[in-house]
Amino acid sequence: MALDSVEGEYAIGVDVGGTHTDLIMATPKELVRSKAFTTHGNYSEGILRAIGLAAAQIDRTTEDVLSRCSAFVNGSTIVTNAITELRGAKVGVLITRGFRDTFRLAGGARTQDYDDHLQVPPPEVVERDCVVEITERVESAGRIIVPLDDEEVRAGIRTLKANGAEAIAVCFLWSFQNPANELRVGQILREEFPGTFFTLSHATHPVIGEFPRFMTAVFNCLSHRATTRYIDGLKAELGKAGFKGAMTFFQGIGGSIGIDAVEETPITLMQSGPAGGVMGARQIAEKLGIRNVLVGDMGGTSFDTAVLANLTPTVAREASFGAYRTGINILDIVSVGAGGGSIAWLDGRGVPQVGPHSAGSEPGPACYARGGTRPTVTDANVILGLIDPNNYLKGAHRLDVEAARKAVETHIGAPLGWSVERAAAAIYDLAVIEMANALRMVSVERGYHPRDFTFFSYGGGLGLFAVEICRRLGCPTIVVPDNCSAFSAYGVLTADYVRQYNRTVNWMLDDPSQVDQVNAALEDMLAQARLDAQSENIDIAALEIERAGEFRFLGQVHEVSQPLSDRPFTEEDAPALAAAFPDVYERSYGEGTAWKGSSVVLVNLSIKAVFRREKPAGREQEPVQSAASPEPVSIRRIYQPFLREAADVPVYAEAALPPGTEIAGPCIVDVGDTTIYVPSGAVCSRDRHFNFNLSLSA
């Protein structure tokens, strides 16, 4: 169902994170945000709590809002958690005979460790007794050379069921060239084993490369149970409260899809929360006329960053999770364990470290007073005075300063002979270094200099670190967007409909006669895109199609993507594409790297179908000219981590800073559900869209 198909006063975007559930609600007059603790045993509980908090801000009840809500868009860590922790449905695999060890070999993955003793096999995603070989074979050109035996398939399914398999991945070699055998297995499963969730490898990733294709099918099965429970629970709880609108889900590729599509391919939700922030930043940057953006999102468990050069987010093709390379396309986001809940600890040499382990929301940082005893980044910020313990989450949760001090002193300060403040400042510095290094990975290591970019800082905790991160990077300008504490939810709410389709065609460009086969494959993909859009009540006339091809020189393993024209191919295109590819290749890898004289292959076709949705308007106000200096609400004693000295600094309420206001550091801006720290040498102003702009003085 399309977002616009149900009339209503409200629309809601939710991002279920590891620590907090963030929500943005569009009302006829304004955007309203809220935060609640994520309830991992029952995610719906935390979501409903966040809805209730948002509803109360406009003097409504949860039932009032949901009964008049037209759209509910979800971003979550459900699939991310299932895959990274390898905890989900028990998966059984039917695989071409002779290829049972594909998952154990894992594509021949090796780490960068020089010590061969550290070159250990990856953990087994599929238990050995849940991999059943089937006698069948399709050759590389798509001809069936060993037909399928239905009785062997039935016996294999019964074996998997007896061994406890809850979902079945069908992984046959070269199935993307001819899916007949996989389709027949799917027919048997539907007719004779109803209720069994299964994935056909060619359906999720019809692209050459058996390991990523098979892993995509396996991970799709593994994440199905958690996703189904989440969807069913959420539908039931929202339905009880009167919700009758359209529920959609945000994907890691940066757009939303409907429930039916998610239930068939839950793996597309991988990294959906961080992707929401990236797309939200793109939208705001475009409004501000900013073309080059670095983004940072600091939540409770991690720091996520990405680069948008010319407002174009990079897409990770065949995204990897640990040692496992898959076929899914998601936004290229780098994550490090530097969230508010990241635990500080001493390594074997007595050197302090931060992350990657997190206290999460349960028990959470020590200052939450919910049973946590290990020091975290949030505990350090409380000790430094950067967070008001009496106004955390707008006063909804009081923080225990003494518990934070005890945790930091016990685990960091006392063993090193440091004061609690010095230990807290060290934790702060380590978090800054971790985040700055992640930003270097997506910028400097890819040929971009941070000085040419604007840093978009969002998430509940990043406003405390943004200036110090950019000081280390040489990035001159920072934007802290309005609603930054729930910004990923904002990106989720404003998402367009997006579906990605890939297919291998293996067009040798020195043979123009293949053009009809390639055009037939392209037309099949376009037809599927239109069909999927129609199933969600989307007007296909308004559907935008972005086409791309993945090329390589004959003999290479990896491809380079480039846009394609919006028309069918002609025979004249083959030599033109081949002649243009060396320049495309050298733009990515450097002058002189192209294999000039080698044949060029168009390996894969890719199309992205996009339906642009209407975006809710944010706040806007003409900046105040010659605004008077605002009055602080208090003076707070803090310990400045960069300078390693105490200072009394003014604290300003966010509501007292209209557009046009400018304040100089050191000071603190208390937004209620987040805090912005403006250290010495930095200036903070507010633009007409209520975004905060931070800059470092020369």
Side-chain angles (χ1 to χ4, degrees):
M1 184 179 292
L3 275 178
D4 306 323
S5 63
V6 178
E7 293 185 359
E9 294 182 31
Y10 309 109
I12 293 173
V14 170
D15 175 31
V16 181
T19 303
H20 293 100
T21 293
D22 299 336
L23 179 143
I24 292 284
M25 179 170 68
T27 77
K29 296 181 179 179
E30 60 184 333
L31 294 177
V32 177
R33 70 177 182 271
S34 65
K35 294 176 78 74
F37 286 119
T38 296
T39 48
H40 291 280
N42 179 5
Y43 291 104
S44 300
E45 182 181 335
I47 292 171
L48 286 170
R49 190 173 298 153
I51 296 171
L53 291 170
Q57 295 178 48
I58 56 172
D59 297 321
R60 296 285 188 272
T61 66
T62 299
E63 289 73 18
D64 290 337
V65 166
L66 286 176
S67 64
R68 287 180 281 182
C69 180
S70 62
F72 191 95
V73 192
N74 290 257
S76 77
T77 61
I78 307 299
V79 172
T80 305
N81 292 343
I83 291 176
T84 55
E85 298 171 8
L86 297 182
R87 291 196 298 184
K90 186 173 183 179
V91 181
V93 174
L94 298 176
I95 197 165
T96 301
R97 186 166 299 283
F99 288 83
R100 187 184 185 200
D101 288 326
T102 297
F103 304 105
R104 177 167 286 182
L105 295 172
R110 287 177 63 86
T111 67
Q112 295 180 349
D113 296 297
Y114 289 106
D115 186 349
D116 282 343
H117 293 91
L118 299 177
Q119 298 289 350
V120 296
E124 289 193 342
V125 180
V126 184
E127 296 179 12
R128 293 288 285 173
D129 64 358
C130 282
V131 181
V132 173
E133 295 182 314
I134 299 296
T135 305
E136 69 83 41
R137 193 61 185 267
V138 174
E139 66 165 2
S140 61
R143 183 172 63 92
I144 296 176
I145 54 177
V146 178
L148 196 68
D149 183 340
D150 287 2
E151 286 306 314
E152 185 183 17
V153 170
R154 294 184 180 98
I157 296 171
R158 286 192 289 269
T159 297
L160 294 178
K161 289 281 193 178
N163 291 337
E166 301 169 79
I168 294 177
V170 184
C171 301
F172 291 164
L173 210 63
W174 298 105
S175 57
F176 67 93
Q177 292 285 57
N178 184 345
N181 286 349
E182 284 196 354
L183 289 170
R184 175 55 185 153
V185 175
Q187 184 180 8
I188 292 172
L189 281 163
R190 270 190 298 270
E191 294 175 354
E192 302 180 31
F193 300 88
T196 301
F197 181 81
F198 65 90
T199 299
L200 309 180
S201 73
H202 81 274
T204 54
H205 187 56
V207 172
I208 191 169
E210 69 270 15
F211 182 64
R213 185 171 67 256
F214 292 175
M215 284 309 308
T216 304
V218 167
F219 279 152
N220 197 59
C221 288
L222 182 140
S223 57
H224 167 72
R225 184 180 67 188
T227 307
T228 300
R229 289 176 179 174
Y230 174 72
I231 293 173
D232 291 347
L234 191 57
K235 284 167 60 179
E237 293 301 320
L238 294 183
K240 289 177 186 176
F243 177 68
K244 298 182 178 65
M247 185 183 295
T248 58
F249 292 81
F250 195 76
Q251 309 166 88
I253 192 65
S256 64
I257 53 175
I259 287 181
D260 291 345
V262 170
E263 290 181 333
E264 182 179 347
T265 54
I267 192 174
T268 59
L269 303 189
M270 185 72 186
Q271 292 279 43
S272 65
V278 173
M279 299 311 292
R282 184 189 184 282
Q283 181 186 333
I284 299 298
E286 189 171 28
K287 183 186 296 185
L288 298 176
I290 298 170
R291 301 303 301 174
N292 293 321
V293 174
L294 287 169
V295 304
D297 177 5
M298 185 183 189
T301 57
S302 66
F303 170 76
D304 305 309
T305 183
V307 62
L308 291 84
N310 198 29
L311 288 184
T312 303
T314 305
V315 174
R317 299 182 302 108
E318 295 193 342
S320 295
F321 308 108
Y324 305 108
R325 188 158 53 96
T326 73
I328 68 168
N329 296 160
I330 60 175
L331 298 188
D332 191 3
I333 297 170
V334 171
S335 299
V336 294
S342 294
I343 295 171
W345 53 285
L346 299 179
D347 65 17
R349 301 167 297 161
V351 177
Q353 308 285 339
V354 167
H357 300 295
S358 172
S361 61
E362 298 172 1
C367 62
Y368 281 10
R370 303 175 76 176
T373 59
R374 304 294 301 278
T376 66
V377 173
T378 297
D379 292 314
N381 287 329
V382 170
I383 293 167
L384 295 171
L386 302 180
I387 294 176
D388 182 354
N390 299 315
N391 195 37
Y392 188 69
L393 296 182
K394 298 182 179 179
H397 190 81
R398 195 182 187 91
L399 300 180
D400 188 336
V401 180
E402 288 307 312
R405 293 181 67 88
K406 181 179 179 181
V408 171
E409 182 178 24
T410 300
H411 295 278
I412 305 295
L416 296 175
W418 293 350
S419 68
V420 175
E421 287 76 16
R422 182 181 175 187
I427 294 171
Y428 178 98
D429 280 351
L430 286 169
V432 168
I433 291 167
E434 282 284 320
M435 291 185 274
N437 287 341
L439 281 159
R440 285 191 184 94
M441 289 175 63
V442 300
S443 58
V444 177
E445 293 184 13
R446 299 179 185 179
Y448 303 112
H449 198 293
R451 66 169 173 255
D452 301 323
F453 285 74
T454 298
F455 181 48
F456 271 61
S457 164
Y458 51 88
L462 194 54
L464 296 173
F465 299 88
V467 172
E468 299 299 358
I469 291 170
C470 289
R471 196 195 301 273
R472 285 164 170 78
L473 290 172
C475 183
T477 311
I478 302 161
V479 174
V480 181
D482 193 23
N483 295 307
C484 65
S485 61
F487 195 69
S488 287
Y490 170 81
V492 165
L493 174 63
T494 59
D496 295 323
Y497 165 90
V498 175
R499 292 292 292 268
Q500 178 85 21
Y501 305 86
N502 304 304
R503 183 174 296 185
T504 292
V505 291
N506 274 334
W507 184 13
M508 297 286 297
L509 294 180
D510 52 10
D511 180 10
S513 66
Q514 290 181 258
V515 67
D516 290 339
Q517 294 171 268
V518 176
N519 280 331
L522 179 60
E523 187 52 46
D524 283 347
M525 296 167 71
L526 293 170
Q528 187 63 54
R530 297 185 193 104
L531 186 65
D532 290 340
Q534 285 178 322
S535 72
E536 300 201 30
N537 294 333
I538 289 173
D539 180 8
I540 61 172
L543 202 63
E544 298 177 15
I545 302 293
E546 301 172 11
R547 310 183 189 203
E550 295 174 2
F551 298 80
R552 69 186 182 204
F553 293 109
L554 183 64
Q556 291 185 324
V557 176
H558 300 291
E559 297 82 36
V560 174
S561 180
Q562 64 171 317
L564 294 174
S565 301
D566 185 17
R567 58 172 177 78
F569 292 104
T570 65
E571 290 192 0
E572 290 72 24
D573 287 326
L577 289 168
F581 183 61
D583 289 339
V584 173
Y585 189 88
E586 291 186 354
R587 281 201 297 270
S588 296
Y589 296 104
E591 186 177 353
T593 57
W595 294 16
K596 293 182 179 178
S598 174
S599 297
V600 177
V601 187
L602 170 54
V603 181
N604 302 317
L605 290 176
S606 174
I607 68 168
K608 182 188 289 187
V610 180
F611 174 71
R612 307 290 178 188
R613 301 194 190 280
E614 185 177 353
K615 308 294 189 288
R619 294 190 288 175
E620 187 171 353
Q621 178 181 311
E622 194 68 29
V624 177
Q625 300 297 323
S626 303
S629 298
E631 288 293 322
V633 295
S634 66
I635 302 296
R636 186 187 303 170
R637 187 76 170 174
I638 71 168
Y639 188 84
Q640 299 180 88
F642 183 66
L643 298 176
R644 294 295 199 272
E645 63 183 30
D648 294 318
V649 303
V651 178
Y652 299 99
E654 180 259 353
L657 303 175
T661 305
E662 184 175 293
I663 52 178
C667 65
I668 286 174
V669 178
D670 192 338
V671 187
D673 53 3
T674 190
T675 304
I676 300 171
Y677 172 44
V678 187
S680 298
V683 176
C684 176
S685 61
R686 206 163 196 192
D687 66 24
R688 66 184 304 116
H689 301 288
F690 289 83
N691 306 306
F692 288 102
N693 297 276
L694 301 169
S695 58
L696 289 164
S697 56

